[in-house]
């Protein structure tokens, strides 16, 4: 395993689930230049392409776009592309109208002395097609997206885990019910108005017309 110093890595990854055959993955992986230089002295030279190759090996992205995004003292790589459910079978399952996303640390990390303290920047997010049903650790939810920013969640016993619906909740059915209810209220109001007008006409017979100047005016 390569030598990795504490607090020298950054990792950002987003997974956008559109359907089983359309899953968008974007990842940025970086290592501080000083740490990369130390690794090179030990015969473990790290390039941006190496970073994306190692970090993206389990994503299943076959048509990935890879580019060097090194800056701010980091050697870094960005990888983006589209994959599918079968290729992400180790981290994404689809059953019973729900998607379940999981990400766990490598079993060899602990024995190699690698853990949450090697990250100084960490962000993993997954966006479901529908409502978020479950999410663990210190993750937060915005809309249908679950985000983890604490690497300790990744190295916990459960790793990262979130569950979301496989499609957006249909609001059209409720809309038609509401519109139908409004229409019914309008009809009832019109009928009541006609009935009241009819009752008023019967209870108050018309007064005879008296020309101006006649008694009673």
């Amino acid at each position: 395993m390569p030598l990795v110093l504490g607090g020298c890595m950054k990792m950002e990854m987003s997974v956008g689930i559109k359907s089983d055959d359309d899953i968008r993955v974007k990842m940025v992986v970086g290592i501080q230049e000083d740490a990369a230089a130390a690794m090179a002295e030990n015969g473990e030279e790290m390039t941006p392409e190496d970073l994306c190759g190692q970090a993206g090996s389990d994503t299943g992205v076959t048509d990935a776009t890879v580019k060097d995004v090194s800056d701010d003292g980091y050697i870094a790589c960005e990888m983006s592309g589209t994959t599918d459910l079968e290729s992400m079978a180790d981290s994404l399952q689809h059953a019973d109208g729900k998607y379940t996303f999981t990400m766990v640390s490598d079993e060899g990390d602990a024995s190699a002395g690698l853990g949450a303290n090697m990250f100084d920047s960490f962000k993993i997010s997954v966006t479901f097609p529908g409502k978020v049903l479950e999410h663990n650790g210190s993750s937060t939810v915005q809309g249908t997206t679950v985000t983890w920013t604490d690497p300790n969640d990744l190295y916990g016993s459960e790793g990262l885990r979130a569950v979301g619906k496989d499609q957006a909740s249909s609001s059209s059915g409720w809309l038609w019910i509401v519109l139908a209810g409004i229409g019914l209220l309008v009809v009832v109001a019109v009928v009541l108005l006609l009935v009241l007008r009819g009752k008023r006409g019967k209870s108050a017979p018309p007064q005879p017309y008296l020309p101006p100047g006649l008694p009673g005016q």
Side-chain angles (χ1 to χ4, degrees):
M1 292 292 290
L3 169 68
V4 179
L5 305 178
C8 65
M9 298 287 296
K10 70 175 178 180
M11 180 177 181
E12 297 181 4
M13 179 179 177
S14 63
V15 178
I17 306 168
K18 304 292 184 180
S19 67
D20 288 3
D21 299 318
D22 187 356
I23 302 172
R24 316 290 174 84
V25 177
K26 183 176 181 180
M27 180 184 300
V28 176
V29 185
I31 183 171
Q32 290 180 0
E33 292 178 348
D34 292 344
M39 292 172 63
E41 292 178 358
N42 286 272
E44 295 286 351
E45 185 174 358
M46 186 67 68
T47 67
E49 291 76 13
D50 292 333
L51 289 169
C52 268
Q54 291 186 14
S57 60
D58 294 330
T59 64
V61 177
T62 56
D63 60 344
T65 299
V66 178
K67 62 180 179 180
D68 186 340
V69 291
S70 302
D71 63 356
D72 298 330
Y74 275 92
I75 294 175
C77 174
E78 178 185 285
M79 182 197 75
S80 60
T82 303
T83 184
D84 56 31
L85 185 66
E86 183 179 359
S87 300
M88 290 192 68
D90 291 339
S91 56
L92 188 65
Q93 294 79 43
H94 184 195
D96 302 324
K98 298 179 293 185
Y99 282 104
T100 300
F101 172 83
T102 55
M103 180 182 287
V104 296
S105 61
D106 191 286
E107 293 181 357
D109 285 356
S111 60
L114 304 178
N117 63 342
M118 71 179 177
F119 293 101
D120 63 352
S121 179
F122 179 87
K123 182 179 180 181
I124 305 292
S125 64
V126 54
T127 301
F128 296 98
K131 181 181 178 181
V132 175
L133 301 175
E134 300 176 29
H135 59 105
N136 73 344
S138 59
S139 59
T140 58
V141 176
Q142 183 173 5
T144 62
T145 300
V146 180
T147 302
W148 293 267
T149 56
D150 186 350
N152 288 293
D153 291 333
L154 175 62
Y155 289 89
S157 59
E158 192 180 33
L160 311 182
R161 184 177 186 277
V163 181
K165 288 187 176 181
D166 61 4
Q167 61 182 356
S169 299
S170 176
S171 60
S172 59
W174 286 106
L175 178 60
W176 282 112
I177 292 174
V178 171
L179 291 177
I182 293 174
L184 179 61
L185 289 175
V186 171
V187 171
V188 171
V190 171
V191 171
L192 287 175
L193 181 60
L194 293 175
V195 170
L196 290 175
R197 284 181 176 176
K199 287 185 177 180
R200 287 178 181 174
K202 292 180 180 179
S203 61
Q207 298 295 321
Y209 175 78
L210 297 178
L214 293 180
Q217 293 193 21

